[in-house]
Amino acid sequence: MQCSYYDAGVCRSCTLMGVPHATQVADKEAGVRALVGAHLDWLPPVVGPESAFRNKAKMVVGGTLDAPTLGILDRAGAGVDLQGCGLYPPELSRIFGVLASFVGLARLQPYDVPTRTGELKNILVTLAPDGALMVRFVLRSQESVARIRKHLPALGDIAVVSANILPEHKAVVEGSQEIVLTERATLTMRVNDIDLHLRPQSFFQTNTEVAAALYRQAAAWVDEAAPSSLWDLYCGVGGFALHCAGGPTAPRDVVGIEISAEAIASAQTSCAELGLDRVRFAAGDATQFALASSAAPDLVIVNPPRRGIGPELAGWLESSGVRHVVYSSCNAQTLARDLAAMPSLRPTRARLLDMFPQTTHYEVITLLERR
């Protein structure tokens, strides 16, 4: 992949830009194998397109009302426009110009980091497989919400539009308050013939094609293990749980746990549409849920953030009697640490998924079986 922004030194976010894609994948797998174990049965890596793969854009807004930038900030806090970034598919890139014009139309003063003035901090856009879009305006206050609502028709056919309020001056993407401005409140992400409903503050993998492969791999291992019950911890919008719920002839008792209430609301909507009466989702801390449970399921799926599952949950899994664990990780270092804390659960199979081409990041899924 060739990138004019990278070549000009304007943006260096893609640290592997210029490295052949096949070499990127091979190097990532070699690094993960060194940490997790070369003795495992390593399935061939899952590789998608090296460009135009992102389903989500996190655009920092800079510049002025008349000439806004959508992209990143430089070291001085000035806006750097990246509307032509090659990581975004055309269906996503096309909306950037509309959004830039909307900034001026709705008088959304870009937030200036050095002086801490202005209103509009970020614009977050998510693309569904069917081409539908979710647009979120991250604002310092509600001062401009009425103007956004007034000028919504100028955005065209956008499925979901919301205002996210982030009053604090800190290096985070969004705040806790969300104001949905459209009739629809969820974006439908159809993955492997399953509709996953995504609310504004719900997490979803940024590479839909590779995420679909991740869910298929987990479902294949779960079907092979044939548990009658399973937990999906750190379940997000329920991708693993809904893919692993079993068919009509072999339904399973499934519980999904996620700290985000918004994500759980998304998962519950999807579950209700699918008519899965043996699947339930609840908002809560994954570790505390496990520690407070009186009985363990046959199989547990974990998909934690980069910090991993931690010593408490690893210790619980080690002593629980759970026969199988499917561990999806974006950080092989914390995965290796957690595996060392669960010596009775032996990793047997693993697979690297190139979720984030042009960077050193990845996803790796590992099957653990009790000795």
Side-chain angles (χ1 to χ4, degrees), residues 16 18-31 47 50 352 354 359:
L16 298 184
V19 178
H21 192 204
T23 303
Q24 294 182 27
V25 175
D27 289 347
K28 290 179 188 181
E29 185 180 42
V47 180
E50 64 172 308
L352 180 93
D354 188 34
T359 77

Side-chain angles (χ1 to χ4, degrees), residues 192-208:
N192 298 322
D193 297 325
I194 292 178
D195 286 340
L196 299 175
H197 290 279
L198 188 66
R199 293 175 65 86
Q201 292 189 2
S202 302
F203 168 79
F204 191 82
Q205 296 282 6
T206 59
N207 190 324
T208 305

Side-chain angles (χ1 to χ4, degrees), residues 297-300 320-325 344-345 368-371:
D298 298 329
L299 184 148
V300 174
S320 66
V322 169
R323 300 302 307 169
H324 295 88
V325 174
S344 298
L345 288 160
L368 316 180
E369 301 180 34
R370 190 166 294 277
R371 298 176 187 271

Side-chain angles (χ1 to χ4, degrees), residues 3 15 23-24 162 193 199 240 252 254 271 304 306 312 338:
C3 176
T15 55
T23 303
Q24 294 182 27
S162 69
D193 297 325
R199 293 175 65 86
F240 285 110
R252 302 183 177 109
V254 178
C271 186
R306 291 188 62 80
E312 283 190 290
D338 291 337

Side-chain angles (χ1 to χ4, degrees), residues 54 94 122 137 146 213 232 257 267 326 346 349 357 363-364:
R54 286 189 65 94
R94 279 195 289 268
N122 306 310
F137 295 95
D232 179 6
I257 302 296
V326 175
R346 180 173 61 93
R349 280 176 274 180
E363 194 79 16
V364 59

